[in-house]
Amino acid sequence: MRLPQLRDRSGGRMQDRLVWQAASLLLAYPDDGLTDRLDTVAELLGHIVGPAAELLAQTAAALRAREPMAAAMDYVATFDLRRRATMYLTYWTAGDTRNRGREMLAFAAAYRAAGVESPRVEAPDHLPVVLEFAATVDPGAGRRLLSEHRVPIDVLRRALADAQSPYEPTVAAVAATLPAATGQEITRAERLAEAGPPAEAVGLQAFTLTVPPRRQAGAPSV
């Protein structure tokens, strides 16, 4: 099996791109392709050095040890049914407001500027989608999107740590590729984790996300 092709468009560090690619595969829904994705992750890990390799390997080992049905149920319970563990990054910056539509368009615009379209099966702000884009299409633009949403990623990591989720080490590996969080960012993450995302002002129509078929009944709950 060959490693995913990594096209050079900007100066992203190759180690970070390998981490992003592995993380995108590990954070994807565990469908029938899970075994193949884990095999690809194993190959990627052969080229990743330092703590990131161990963190990613923890998630990979946990997924290999689970029965497929159990892995799928755990994924839905973790990411689809818990508001604080959603991987939709704009949910934490815009909440259920009309601003979220504008923020998701910013992701789609970044993809188009790099010469690709957003995947039709998932929202453009979904963390695995952003990681795949950063790893394989435009590492510079991808790093910017990830860095701009460092706070949501930190909120997600903390939620997964509190739940003792096997996905937490992978999100920690992603966070380690980004600039260190500032004191202001840490405070904001703590406040968001406690209070939740922004809410729409009275009288305004909330933005509604169109999600893939398997998630139509699994939006994050309050």
Side-chain angles (χ1 to χ4, degrees):
M1 180 179 298
R2 295 189 303 170
L3 292 174
Q5 184 178 3
L6 299 176
R7 291 182 286 161
D8 286 323
R9 287 201 174 198
S10 67
R13 293 191 298 268
M14 183 58 68
Q15 279 291 303
D16 289 348
R17 296 173 71 182
L18 293 171
V19 170
W20 296 335
Q21 179 66 85
S24 73
L25 297 172
L26 291 171
L27 294 174
Y29 178 75
D31 57 13
D32 293 339
L34 175 61
T35 298
D36 288 340
R37 288 196 298 273
L38 291 176
D39 289 342
T40 301
V41 169
E43 190 170 357
L44 288 166
L45 288 176
H47 300 269
I48 299 173
V49 298
E54 181 178 350
L55 290 169
L56 295 165
Q58 290 179 35
T59 301
L63 291 176
R64 279 198 188 277
R66 302 214 68 180
E67 293 293 331
M69 182 63 70
M73 292 177 64
D74 178 64
Y75 187 95
V76 171
T78 299
F79 297 114
D80 294 351
L81 302 182
R82 295 175 182 170
R83 183 187 65 178
R84 285 179 170 80
T86 180
M87 287 197 285
Y88 294 106
L89 298 179
T90 63
Y91 184 74
W92 287 105
T93 56
D96 286 322
T97 73
R98 70 173 66 185
N99 291 334
R100 190 173 175 201
R102 182 174 64 248
E103 292 193 14
M104 284 204 295
L105 285 176
F107 281 85
Y111 300 160
R112 287 195 298 272
V116 296
E117 291 294 331
S118 302
R120 296 181 179 180
V121 297
E122 189 55 271
D125 66 328
H126 196 235
L127 181 56
V129 173
V130 185
L131 290 168
E132 179 81 8
F133 170 76
T136 66
V137 179
D138 190 330
R143 185 186 297 278
R144 175 179 57 79
L145 290 172
L146 292 168
S147 297
E148 289 175 351
H149 293 82
R150 172 65 191 254
V151 170
I153 291 171
D154 282 342
V155 172
L156 171 61
R157 182 186 60 78
R158 293 183 186 192
L160 295 175
D162 290 343
Q164 298 183 323
S165 170
Y167 292 103
E168 187 275 336
T170 288
V171 178
V174 171
T177 67
L178 306 177
T182 64
Q184 184 178 9
E185 287 173 333
I186 292 172
T187 299
R188 186 181 172 209
E190 292 173 346
R191 290 176 177 172
L192 277 175
E194 180 178 353
E200 185 64 273
V202 175
L204 298 181
Q205 182 177 358
F207 173 78
T208 301
L209 174 67
T210 301
V211 296
R214 66 175 176 79
R215 295 192 183 176
Q216 287 179 349
S221 59
V222 177

